[in-house]
């Protein structure tokens, strides 16, 4: 395994979220090695007082300075990018991603929350590995609401999965 991802959990993430994330990653991305740590990912520099949310790009930039490896950051606070009211996650191709569990918990029992978490992890890491949004029945389909997130499938379509096989991550 030559691909390595450093996974950073913000201190506010629940232990069940950390455990489920580890299971998802090891099950889905079989050709990737992962290391895990708990850290302070949120700070006053990434917080926008007017919006009451954290700037996902600022978090990504902070994480990119913490490791030489690809990375995944998981936070439990609401995040945004400038053009959108909120995001479930955001990624830099070939670099890393950050996801938020904040909205994934809305009106969700643990089972639904974990399905949403898996979809979001797969989606954002798909971007990290070079996938774009997909119009097929695919986890890479864009979702701008929980309704859209819940409707899309949990798996990659054949086209996206074959690409991930080519880049040797699944």
């Amino acid at each position: 395994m030559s691909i390595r991802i450093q996974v950073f959990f913000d201190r506010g993430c629940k232990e069940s979220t950390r455990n489920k994330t580890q299971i998802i990653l090891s099950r889905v991305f079989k050709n990737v090695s992962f290391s895990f740590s708990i850290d302070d990912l949120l700070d006053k520099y990434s917080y926008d007082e007017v919006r009451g949310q954290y700037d996902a790009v600022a978090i990504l930039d902070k994480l990119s300075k913490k490791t030489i490896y690809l990375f995944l950051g998981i936070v439990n606070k609401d995040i945004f990018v400038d053009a959108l009211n909120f995001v479930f996650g955001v990624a830099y191709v070939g670099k890393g991603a950050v996801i938020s569990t904040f909205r994934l918990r809305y009106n969700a029992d643990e089972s639904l929350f974990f399905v949403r978490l898996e979809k979001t992890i797969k989606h954002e890491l798909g971007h990290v590995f070079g996938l774009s949004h997909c119009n097929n029945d695919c986890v890479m389909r864009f979702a701008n609401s929980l309704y859209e997130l819940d409707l899309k499938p949990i798996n990659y379509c054949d086209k996206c999965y074959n690409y991930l096989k080519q880049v040797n991550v699944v």
Side-chain angles (χ1 to χ4, degrees):
M1 283 185 234
S2 61
I3 299 172
R4 179 175 173 193
I5 295 182
Q6 174 69 45
V7 181
F8 298 95
F9 295 101
D10 187 65
R11 292 197 191 283
C13 285
K14 291 183 173 185
E15 183 178 356
S16 60
T17 300
R18 295 192 307 265
N19 293 339
K20 185 64 173 179
T21 297
Q22 291 178 18
I23 291 167
I24 293 165
L25 293 172
S26 64
R27 191 188 69 223
V28 175
F29 300 100
K30 296 183 187 312
N31 296 326
V32 177
S33 65
F34 297 95
S35 56
F36 302 91
S37 62
I38 299 172
D39 207 334
D40 292 315
L41 304 184
L42 305 172
D43 57 32
K44 65 180 180 179
Y45 303 107
S46 60
Y47 187 69
D48 185 308
E49 288 187 26
V50 173
R51 294 180 70 133
Q53 297 170 295
Y54 288 85
D55 184 335
V57 173
I59 298 167
L60 280 172
D61 290 342
K62 180 179 181 176
L63 286 170
S64 68
K65 294 173 185 163
K66 285 185 170 285
T67 183
I68 61 170
Y69 302 105
L70 297 175
F71 61 85
L72 173 64
I74 300 180
V75 301
N76 69 337
K77 300 292 185 187
D78 206 15
I79 61 175
F80 75 95
V81 294
D82 281 337
L84 298 171
N85 291 334
F86 72 91
V87 289
F88 298 119
V90 67
Y92 287 157
V93 175
K95 213 166 190 187
V98 63
I99 68 167
S100 166
T101 62
F102 183 80
R103 291 180 186 256
L104 303 181
R105 290 195 178 278
Y106 282 7
N107 296 320
D109 60 13
E110 283 296 290
S111 177
L112 178 57
F113 167 72
F114 288 140
V115 168
R116 289 172 174 174
L117 178 66
E118 182 168 345
K119 288 178 183 183
T120 305
I121 288 171
K122 286 178 172 179
H123 183 94
E124 295 308 332
L125 285 182
H127 286 315
V128 171
F129 295 128
L131 289 173
S132 299
H133 286 138
C134 182
N135 291 325
N136 295 331
D137 197 24
C138 181
V139 75
M140 290 306 298
R141 204 169 58 213
F142 178 73
N144 196 35
S145 68
L146 285 174
Y147 176 74
E148 291 172 335
L149 179 62
D150 290 343
L151 280 180
K152 74 179 180 177
I154 199 164
N155 293 313
Y156 297 102
C157 68
D158 289 343
K159 178 182 158 213
C160 290
Y161 185 79
N162 287 333
Y163 170 82
L164 293 174
K165 278 178 72 171
Q166 280 186 310
V167 297
N168 199 33
V169 296
V170 296

